[in-house]
Amino acid sequence: MPILTNHAIEATPPNFLQAEVGLLQQTGGQQVLWAGRAATALQVAYEMATLRRPEITAPEVIVPAMMCATAANSAILAGLTPRFADVGAETGLISLETVQERFTQNTVAVVAIHLLGNIVAMDALRQWCAEKNLLLIEDPTQALGATFTDGRYVGSVGDVVVYSFNRTKIIDVGNGVLVANTSESAALLQHTLAEKSFAPSQLSPDETAQLALSYRNLHHSLVGLLRMRALSPEDISAGFMRVQPAFLPMYTRAANPAIDLNAAWEHLPQTLAHRLKLANLYAERLQGGAWTLLTEFQQSGVCWRFSLLLDDAAQQVAFSEAVRRDGFHVSNLYWPVNQFFRPQDSCPGADSFGRRIVNLWVDLSVDEEYVERCCDSLLRHQYA
Ligand SMILES: *Cc1c(COP(=O)(O)O)cnc(C)c1O
């Protein structure tokens, strides 16, 4: 099983082997490619998607409108045009119907993201993608270890699956991975690695960190503007696209074999139990507030962030700030990605979701006592 390094494709290092075996068991996968980021894994998946459809000269990939910008940025890096599927206003998830709305004769792939531990209905998508000859790319990064209602693991349905183990993720020690789930996609991966070169960025870690910070700052600033509609979406999209090339080199990253993924994998059951316990505590304490709670983690078994959708979207910023001032982590920066890249792919569900969502922490940096106090703060400020 290979690893993409700065020099070549090499054998998986011993530090990754247990995690690799575990991932292959969960997905029923055939082949693994380790990389520095899920972004790099996505880039490889996109190259696979274009190589298997050589007759399509202007390939497009359908990605969810609700997520970080990574899936779209990696698509651009691989020469594909990202198209944005709307998500349910109450779920944040794509559906077969919203994906079908973006289908064209140029579509080569679909990316399904199990957002925040909520699970996309994959089987209908799987069947439709097979009918249309599209590569189905599944991303369970935010639902690592979760199961569908019938007990299968998430990550077991896509043709290829990508995971991030970088900062803030469920396993956060570093690196990303691509799993080829079928013998066809495993052969396609081999073919792609032979045909294409994935020379990782030669930027120093300091340069990469500075670029990533600049990019995040730019993104956050644009979210602030879009929230107020101070600029038209077209203006923002055009300006954002012009500065894109400056940031794209940070997306191709070699795996770091010094990282001990085995230990993190071994610890995964405890990590997930901790998250579930805290998420259940929020769900119990926050019932009946001025919001809708996202509780699908109770079916999937995995929570990445505990999320609520405020009844009153106009309160999103003031409410988040009030809870932050009380000393708690709050994020509300999941903004519809179509508005940066392609506003004409209208996504009203993502717009509603992005304006109402408030994310709360359940990772190992917080405990039950923190959650109790955070809930007190949320309840106190709910009609801010
Ligand atoms: C963070 C994230 C990514 C990107 O991961 P990197 O390893 O930082 O490239 C991709 N998909 C999802 C769902 C994520 O949460």
Side-chain angles (χ1 to χ4, degrees):
M1 296 290 169
I3 171 172
L4 183 63
T5 72
N6 273 321
H7 313 289
I9 311 278
E10 296 172 358
T12 297
N15 276 358
F16 291 30
L17 275 176
Q18 243 170 286
E20 182 166 302
V21 168
L23 282 171
L24 287 170
Q25 276 170 356
Q26 288 198 355
T27 57
Q30 312 266 323
Q31 177 97 53
V32 164
L33 178 72
W34 291 97
R37 293 189 54 181
T40 311
L42 280 164
Q43 196 190 329
V44 174
Y46 294 146
E47 298 283 7
M48 291 168 65
T50 50
L51 266 183
R52 69 186 281 283
R53 299 294 300 278
E55 77 282 9
I56 295 179
T57 51
E60 297 179 358
V61 55
I62 300 171
V63 302
M66 186 46 60
M67 54 160 192
C68 58
T70 300
N73 277 323
S74 300
I76 293 170
L77 195 58
L80 288 81
T81 300
R83 300 295 307 267
F84 298 91
D86 200 7
V87 299
E90 303 290 319
T91 64
L93 302 175
I94 58 166
S95 64
L96 176 59
E97 292 69 32
T98 62
V99 169
Q100 284 173 331
E101 280 171 26
R102 294 293 175 256
F103 176 78
T104 73
Q105 290 310 310
N106 289 327
T107 309
V108 297
V110 173
V111 177
I113 295 179
H114 301 296
L115 193 76
L116 300 158
N118 303 313
I119 306 303
V120 174
M122 290 296 290
D123 289 326
L125 258 186
R126 155 86 264 147
Q127 193 183 337
W128 180 76
C129 285
E131 281 163 21
K132 297 288 185 189
N133 194 16
L134 311 176
L135 191 75
L136 178 58
I137 302 166
E138 187 176 1
D139 181 347
T141 294
Q142 299 183 3
L144 176 65
T147 51
F148 296 105
T149 48
D150 63 5
R152 287 173 302 163
Y153 277 103
V154 298
S156 61
V157 180
D159 296 303
V160 299
V161 196
V162 300
Y163 297 85
S164 171
F165 303 127
N166 282 313
R167 213 170 57 82
T168 77
K169 312 304 176 179
I170 292 172
I171 286 180
D172 62 356
V173 294
N175 291 315
V177 71
L178 178 151
V179 183
N181 266 355
T182 61
S183 38
E184 291 81 13
S185 63
L188 180 62
L189 174 61
Q190 290 306 321
H191 177 56
T192 306
L193 293 175
E195 286 288 312
K196 302 272 179 172
S197 83
F198 294 96
S201 152
Q202 297 303 313
L203 296 170
S204 73
D206 280 352
E207 286 170 315
T208 305
Q210 183 55 50
L211 267 181
L213 179 64
S214 305
Y215 188 83
R216 227 168 12 250
N217 289 341
L218 175 62
H219 183 262
H220 292 180
S221 306
L222 290 178
V223 169
L225 288 174
L226 283 166
R227 190 178 265 130
M228 295 189 304
R229 298 195 181 281
L231 292 173
S232 87
E234 285 78 9
D235 290 341
I236 286 181
S237 173
F240 190 67
M241 293 305 283
R242 273 199 295 277
V243 298
Q244 277 287 102
F247 298 103
L248 285 173
M250 73 186 184
Y251 281 88
T252 315
R253 289 261 301 277
N256 178 354
I259 285 169
D260 190 355
L261 268 166
N262 291 345
W265 186 265
E266 218 171 320
H267 198 253
L268 184 60
Q270 290 95 302
T271 303
L272 295 181
H274 174 88
R275 288 171 166 274
L276 193 58
K277 183 180 65 188
L278 297 192
N280 276 320
L281 188 52
Y282 282 111
E284 190 185 306
R285 287 287 317 277
L286 298 177
Q287 269 178 49
W291 41 60
T292 301
L293 306 175
L294 294 187
T295 55
E296 213 203 312
F297 69 86
Q298 291 170 335
Q299 277 83 57
S300 76
V302 174
C303 183
W304 180 55
R305 297 253 199 262
F306 183 84
S307 309
L308 39 95
L309 298 171
L310 298 179
D311 291 345
D312 182 0
Q315 293 300 323
Q316 190 190 37
V317 172
F319 174 74
S320 306
E321 276 310 313
V323 178
R324 269 193 205 117
R325 272 198 303 276
D326 284 348
F328 302 100
H329 303 289
V330 181
S331 82
N332 56 20
L333 288 161
Y334 260 153
W335 203 257
V337 195
N338 59 306
Q339 295 185 21
F340 296 96
F341 291 88
R342 194 179 176 104
Q344 55 279 39
D345 282 354
S346 164
C347 295
D351 190 74
S352 169
F353 190 90
R355 287 178 186 281
R356 294 169 61 209
I357 190 151
V358 171
N359 283 327
L360 305 164
W361 268 228
V362 298
D363 63 18
L364 293 166
S365 73
V366 298
D367 59 14
E368 281 172 286
E369 192 257 346
Y370 167 98
V371 172
E372 292 281 3
R373 287 189 294 111
C374 181
C375 288
D376 292 341
S377 170
L378 293 159
L379 291 163
R380 191 160 58 242
H381 295 298
Q382 63 180 313
Y383 303 108

